[in-house]
Every structure is written in structure tokens, then in C-alpha cells.
Amino acid sequence: MEMSTAEQRVIEQLQQYPQKRARIQALSTYSVGAGLTISRLDEDDQLQELHRRLRGLPSYMYLSEKEQRLETTAHAYLTRYPAGLKAQLEAIPTMGADVEDDKLLQELRRKIKKVIDARGCNVDDLAEVLERVAELQDLVSEVNWIDNVLDLLEKYKPGYPRLLRMIYFENMTNQEIVDKMNVSKTTLHRLRKKAEIEYIALAK
């Protein structure tokens, strides 16, 4: 009996598990400069929460008077608001309408350049960092989902999750599994089918 498309996708989840684990490790150690890694950014919930709160407040409640002048000057001269730091730097004019504006614009450019330099030039754009953080979060969610399904399966079908892990995660051969479980290849084939059916029933 052939599997449906939905059932095939569930099995593909198991097949892709090792690759996703490896990708999580690679992303977790990806440096964004200034001694920070993607995983550190993802784990910094307090910073993210603070950022969310600040975005909902009027700027005068968390910016100094000088920073408010910088913000006002930026709004006055910017005709667009690009997402990337380097794009933002390019969007800020070098000259203002008067000497005071010139100074404020130059300071704003210095501040943005300082952030770019602090990142060690490992990432060209903040958008790229956010994409990697989002990818890491998605992969962790997918891997945790598979682990959770296997944990639930273990509660009423003990042994099935271990068999699936040997097949899909540890890439063991049939002979290696047969030797480890001390069963025949026919029994292994039957157990594998049952384990896959039970897993699909939970995960699809």
C-alpha cells in the first residue's frame, strides 16, 4: 500500500531531522560580530522584549533630548527608511540646511557606522541577521516537534521511537539494527512498518 502525500511528508520530516540538527548547530555559532552569535541573539529574550516595548512608546520617553533632536533631523531629511544599516547610512545626506543640521546628520552617520563596525563586517545587512535568526527559530521548532511526537509515541508504543531513531537519525543499516535488537530481518521489517504507521498517525 502506497503512502499518501501527507504521509510521505511526515516520513520526510524524520529523514531530514539529522540535517536540520546540523543546520541548527551551524546557525547557532554563526558570528554577527562584536562577539555575538545568532544563538545569542535568539536567546536574548529580555532585549527583544525591551525592543518591543520601546517601539510602542513615544520616543521622548526613552530618548535623551539630544537623541530626540537626532531623530527629528533624520525624519526631516530622510525620504525613505531602508531596512539595512548600510542602506540607512547611504540614505542619510551629508549636508543639511544649516550648520546645526550638518552636525546632527554627521553624528547620525557616525552612530550608524559605529554599529556597522561593531558587527565586524561579517554581515552586510541587518535583514540577513534577522533571516538567520528566523531560520534558526523555525528549525528548532520543527526539531522540537519531532522530538515531542516521538516522546508521545514512547508512552504507548515503547520501543518504536528508538527504532525510528536508529533508522532515520543514526542511519544504521538493517543488519546493525537486527544485531542490536536481536531480531530477524523479517521481524525488523514488520516492526518498522508498524512504527512508521504509529508515528504518521500522531504527526500528520
Side-chain angles (χ1 to χ4, degrees):
M1 181 178 177
E2 292 187 1
M3 290 185 181
S4 67
T5 302
E7 291 172 338
Q8 288 175 350
R9 281 200 297 267
V10 171
I11 294 301
E12 286 173 1
Q13 290 175 359
L14 292 174
Q15 293 171 335
Q16 295 168 0
Y17 183 96
Q19 181 184 22
K20 289 180 179 180
R21 275 289 187 192
R23 180 59 177 162
I24 287 172
Q25 291 181 337
L27 283 171
S28 296
T29 57
Y30 186 89
S31 175
V32 297
L36 291 175
T37 60
I38 290 292
S39 61
R40 176 67 182 276
L41 290 177
D42 183 42
E43 292 168 0
D44 200 350
D45 293 333
Q46 291 183 341
L47 181 59
Q48 292 182 25
E49 179 61 26
L50 176 61
H51 180 62
R52 282 194 291 269
R53 290 181 181 180
L54 290 180
R55 285 195 302 179
L57 295 174
S59 60
Y60 69 82
M61 295 185 67
Y62 59 90
L63 293 181
S64 67
E65 184 177 344
K66 185 175 183 180
E67 289 171 333
Q68 289 178 54
R69 289 203 305 272
L70 281 173
E71 181 187 51
T72 301
T73 303
H75 287 321
Y77 285 93
L78 286 176
T79 57
R80 58 190 179 89
Y81 296 86
L85 286 174
K86 289 188 176 180
Q88 290 172 6
L89 184 61
E90 293 172 357
I92 297 173
T94 56
M95 301 289 289
D98 53 43
V99 175
E100 181 62 24
D101 280 3
D102 284 349
K103 291 180 180 179
L104 290 171
L105 288 171
Q106 288 172 11
E107 182 171 354
L108 190 58
R109 290 175 64 86
R110 282 197 301 270
K111 285 181 177 292
I112 294 177
K113 190 175 185 304
K114 186 176 180 180
V115 174
I116 293 174
D117 292 341
R119 290 198 338 220
C121 297
N122 289 329
V123 180
D124 291 332
D125 199 300
L126 179 60
E128 184 178 345
V129 175
L130 296 178
E131 285 177 6
R132 290 179 184 273
V133 170
E135 182 186 359
L136 176 62
Q137 292 172 338
D138 288 343
L139 286 171
V140 169
S141 178
E142 291 169 11
V143 164
N144 287 344
W145 162 256
I146 295 172
D147 287 336
N148 184 56
V149 172
L150 289 172
D151 289 343
L152 292 173
L153 181 59
E154 179 66 26
K155 291 181 178 180
Y156 71 94
K157 288 293 182 180
Y160 281 7
R162 177 64 185 132
L163 175 58
L164 293 174
R165 286 190 173 97
M166 286 190 288
I167 295 170
Y168 292 105
F169 301 173
E170 300 172 25
N171 199 30
M172 294 175 63
T173 65
N174 286 342
Q175 188 60 53
E176 289 172 334
I177 298 173
V178 163
D179 293 341
K180 190 174 185 66
M181 296 181 63
N182 195 27
V183 297
S184 67
K185 289 187 177 180
T186 301
T187 299
L188 172 61
H189 179 74
R190 185 173 66 253
L191 288 174
R192 174 175 180 167
K193 287 297 182 184
K194 288 183 177 180
E196 288 176 345
I197 289 171
E198 292 292 346
Y199 179 85
I200 289 170
L202 282 177
K204 69 178 181 179

